[in-house]
Amino acid sequence: MSTVQNTLVFLSVLPIFPFLIVYGVGLWITKNKKRSLLAAIDVTTLFLIFSVAALFNIVFGTKFGIYLILLVLLITLGLIGSAQNRLKGGVNWSRLIRAVWRITFIGSSIAYFLFTFIGIFSYIINYMS
């Protein structure tokens, strides 16, 4: 594998590193904590999606992880877009995509920790028996 592929795999396995790198660089350049935090969240979400999909595949022994995440993203996009259309009379696409992306960060962060602990415990249980 090339250096770029190795770096991307490493950042996907440990998504806290892209978060810290983007936050640190953003804070250094802009001196704005909120803007740096939001940029770090946006970048880390992509790494979390791939990481959670891989963890899902490992824990459950399937190849369905990325498709399930995409399905959940599309359903969330439809539900929030429908609610926005009913409340505002139209859809503001930039706000809709930003909201779904930030919700994805929260959900995939929780799923990352959950699947990591499930994977560790199942490995320990299988190894001891």
Side-chain angles (χ1 to χ4, degrees):
M1 290 200 319
S2 71
T3 306
V4 174
Q5 285 176 327
N6 287 335
T7 304
L8 289 175
V9 167
F10 174 75
L11 293 175
S12 292
V13 170
L14 296 170
I16 188 71
F17 288 121
F19 182 85
L20 294 175
I21 291 168
V22 172
Y23 182 73
V25 169
L27 193 59
W28 180 59
I29 291 173
T30 66
K31 308 286 191 250
N32 187 340
K33 289 182 182 180
K34 182 179 179 183
R35 192 169 167 190
S36 300
L37 179 68
L38 294 177
I41 287 172
D42 290 342
V43 170
T44 305
T45 303
L46 184 63
F47 291 105
L48 278 170
I49 288 171
F50 290 122
S51 182
V52 168
L55 285 169
F56 181 87
N57 291 343
I58 290 169
V59 168
F60 294 108
T62 67
K63 301 281 185 201
F64 189 66
I66 193 69
Y67 301 115
L68 181 64
I69 291 173
L70 291 175
L71 179 65
V72 169
L73 282 173
L74 286 172
I75 290 171
T76 306
L77 194 70
L79 290 172
I80 294 175
S82 175
Q84 193 179 67
N85 189 32
R86 276 185 274 120
L87 292 173
K88 305 282 184 182
V91 176
N92 184 344
W93 287 99
S94 63
R95 289 189 66 179
L96 174 64
I97 292 172
R98 194 173 349 141
V100 170
W101 197 247
R102 303 267 165 80
I103 290 169
T104 303
F105 174 78
I106 293 169
S108 58
S109 296
I110 293 168
Y112 177 78
F113 288 114
L114 181 70
F115 289 147
T116 300
F117 289 127
I118 290 171
I120 289 170
F121 289 133
S122 66
Y123 178 78
I124 291 170
I125 289 170
N126 289 334
Y127 182 74
M128 294 182 80
S129 57

